[in-house]
Amino acid sequence: MAARHPAQLMAGIHALDALIGQAAEQPEHTYTFLFCDLLTDAVLAELPLQDVSYGYELNGIGAMRAFVPLNNETFPLDPINATTGGRTAVYVDRDGSILWGGIVWTRDPAKGGMQIQAAEFLSYYQHRYITQTLSTLLENVTANPALVPDGRRLYSDQKSLLWSLFRWSSIAAGGGIRIDINPLAGTGHGVSRVATYFGYERQELFALMKQLASADDGFDFGIEVGWNPVVNNVPPSRFRKAVSWYPRRGRAAADSGLVFSKGGPAANIVAYNWPEDYTAVADQVWAVGDGDGEARLIAGAADLDMLAAGWPLLESVQRYEGVTELATLQGHANADVNARSVADVAPWFDVLADGDPALGGYSVGDEATFTISDDPRFPDGLEAQLRIVSMDVNASKRPEIVRLTCVGV
C-alpha cells in the first residue's frame, strides 16, 4: 500500500479530534421505562433498567433488550409481575417523549437480576392467525357476506384491507390490544387488491400484512406510540396507532437534507461496515400462489437486462399462500425480481445520537447522504444516497450511539 501523504494524515487526525470533541460534549438524557398491562395499558411499574438498547425496522419489528436489577431498590416495585411476558407492554421515554413501545416476550435469569427482551407491538400479530375465511370476493364469503367486522368480506383497497385485518383480529375475546386503527380509515391508497384468506390454512396475521405491503405498488406500515395531550388535569395516557404510508415512508434525500460523514470537519460517523451478499440475487423469480397440482397458480418475472449483460440464469421461488388472482401474484413476482436483481448490500453506520443530525431528526424510511473519506477501501472517497431501514439505539452507552442499517435507493 502506498504511503499516505502527511496532509492526508493530518486531515484524518483533525477529523478524529473533532469527533472526540463531539462525543465529549454529548448531553445526558433522562430515560424512563414504563411497564403496563397489554390489554388495559394500566401502569404496573416504572423500573430502573440497565444496558438498554431499542430499535425499529421498516415494515418489520424492532427489538428492545435490557437488564432488570433485582435488589432492595426494585423489590418493592414487584419487577417479576411487572415484566410477565406475553401480557406486558413496555414504553421507552426519553426526555419526556415516548420513542419506543412493544411487548415483553422473554426473561432470562442473570447475575443480580434478569435479562428481558421485548418487540414492537406488531409482534403481537405474529401470535394471531386467520381462523375464518376472509375474502374481498363475495362468492367466497356467501355465508356471511357483510364487510368486516360484521361479516367476513374484506375491503379491497390495500389500505382498507390492512384496516380489515387489524379490525378482524380485535373481535375475538382478548384480541383487542388498544391499537387505534382510525388512521387507516377514510380515503384509501387507490390500489385495489384481490385476496382470500382461508380459515383452514391458519395464516399468520403479521405475515399477511407484510405480504400485502410488499406487493408491487405496495406501502409501508407500522404502529406509532407516544403520549396523548394532557387535558383537564386527566392523568397522562399513551397511544398506539396503526399507520400506513403510501407510496412510501420517509423523505427523499433531497428533501431530508440528512448527511452523515466519516472523515472531514463535520464527521459524525463513529464506525461503519459495508458488506455485500449475492446469495439471494435472482434474474428469474417464480411466485407461487394457491391451487393444487398442475392447477396451482404461478407467475414469473425476469430481469432481461441482467441476462443480456452476461449474468447466468439465477432463479428464486417465492410462495404466497392465499393469493388466488394471477394479477396479484404477478405483482408479487415483479416486485420480487426488482428486489433481487441487485446484491443484498446493507451497510451500517454507528452515529452519535446527539450529533448533527440528532436522534429524532430522522426515522426509518428516510433517505440520507452518506460520505466516506480517508478510507483505504474507497481511496477516491464515497458518496451514496441510502435509505434507512433499521435503527438501533444503545441508550446505556456514553456517548449514546445509533446504528443505522441502510439499503440503496
Side-chain angles (χ1 to χ4, degrees):
M1 183 181 294
R4 310 246 320 262
H5 191 279
Q8 290 179 304
L9 292 173
M10 289 305 298
I13 291 171
H14 291 320
L16 180 60
D17 287 344
L19 199 56
I20 292 173
Q22 287 187 57
E25 296 169 1
Q26 302 303 297
E28 289 290 329
H29 294 282
T30 301
Y31 272 95
T32 303
F33 307 101
L34 292 176
F35 291 80
C36 304
D37 183 86
L38 180 60
L39 294 180
T40 67
D41 208 42
V43 176
L44 302 174
E46 178 184 322
L47 297 177
L49 303 183
Q50 301 171 4
D51 301 327
V52 178
S53 65
Y54 57 94
Y56 319 84
E57 289 190 17
L58 182 65
N59 298 331
I61 299 170
M64 175 216 178
R65 298 172 180 84
F67 176 77
V68 182
L70 298 178
N71 51 38
N72 291 335
E73 178 187 356
T74 60
F75 284 147
L77 303 174
D78 197 8
I80 301 299
N81 287 325
T83 59
T84 302
R87 62 171 301 171
T88 303
V90 57
Y91 297 95
V92 177
D93 179 293
R94 181 180 188 257
D95 296 335
S97 297
I98 293 178
L99 298 189
W100 192 94
I103 304 169
V104 177
W105 289 111
T106 68
R107 295 189 300 198
D108 288 313
K111 184 177 180 181
M114 56 185 175
Q115 298 283 350
I116 63 168
Q117 182 166 318
E120 288 184 291
F121 285 112
L122 278 174
S123 64
Y124 172 72
Y125 301 96
Q126 293 179 310
H127 299 264
R128 294 296 308 278
Y129 296 84
I130 297 293
T131 58
Q132 300 172 323
T133 295
L134 307 175
S135 181
T136 56
L137 301 174
L138 188 61
E139 60 265 30
N140 288 338
V141 289
T142 53
N144 196 343
L147 288 162
V148 168
D150 299 317
R152 311 284 170 76
R153 189 178 175 192
L154 301 169
Y155 290 91
S156 59
D157 185 273
Q158 62 181 8
K159 180 184 177 185
S160 303
L161 182 51
L162 180 65
W163 178 95
S164 294
L165 293 175
F166 275 111
R167 184 67 179 90
W168 178 86
S169 72
S170 68
I171 297 172
I177 61 165
R178 302 176 68 87
I179 303 298
D180 178 6
I181 60 173
N182 285 327
L184 299 177
T187 305
H189 294 158
V191 180
S192 293
R193 303 291 185 191
V194 177
T196 299
Y197 307 124
F198 294 106
Y200 59 78
E201 291 182 340
R202 293 299 195 265
Q203 297 180 72
E204 178 197 296
L205 266 171
F206 175 70
L208 295 179
M209 294 174 180
K210 194 172 178 68
Q211 182 185 108
L212 179 66
S214 65
D216 197 26
D217 203 20
F219 57 93
D220 295 330
F221 72 109
I223 294 178
E224 294 186 331
V225 294
W227 289 107
N228 287 313
V230 177
V231 293
N232 299 327
N233 296 319
V234 175
S237 60
R238 295 153 294 280
F239 65 77
R240 312 168 186 172
K241 293 180 180 179
V243 291
S244 69
W245 296 266
Y246 177 78
R248 49 158 286 171
R249 179 181 185 178
R251 302 163 291 175
D255 297 323
S256 74
L258 298 169
V259 178
F260 297 93
S261 303
K262 185 177 188 301
N268 51 9
I269 296 175
V270 179
Y272 84 100
N273 191 25
W274 198 288
E276 296 174 323
D277 184 353
Y278 289 83
T279 57
V281 167
D283 41 35
Q284 172 70 61
V285 172
W286 304 104
V288 180
D290 272 4
D292 296 315
E294 294 297 326
R296 183 174 288 276
L297 206 61
I298 298 177
D303 189 323
L304 301 180
D305 291 338
M306 284 183 67
L307 293 167
W311 282 82
L313 178 62
L314 300 170
E315 295 176 292
S316 175
V317 175
Q318 303 298 311
R319 304 189 183 278
Y320 294 95
E321 296 180 355
V323 176
T324 58
E325 293 291 320
L326 184 59
T328 300
L329 197 63
Q330 188 63 57
H332 284 298
N334 295 342
D336 287 338
V337 79
N338 287 335
R340 292 175 178 271
S341 62
V342 294
D344 182 8
V345 180
W348 58 257
F349 305 86
D350 284 349
V351 302
L352 296 169
D354 290 297
D356 183 15
L359 179 62
Y362 49 86
S363 71
V364 293
D366 277 338
E367 294 175 11
T369 300
F370 292 82
T371 64
I372 306 295
S373 61
D374 194 31
D375 190 307
R377 184 175 177 184
F378 305 109
D380 297 324
L382 174 73
E383 180 175 309
Q385 292 185 349
L386 303 172
R387 191 180 188 200
I388 302 170
V389 294
S390 76
M391 295 169 49
D392 288 287
V393 183
N394 190 330
S396 297
K397 192 169 184 178
R398 293 295 179 267
E400 199 172 354
I401 297 295
V402 183
R403 174 162 293 186
L404 306 177
T405 302
C406 305
V407 297
V409 174

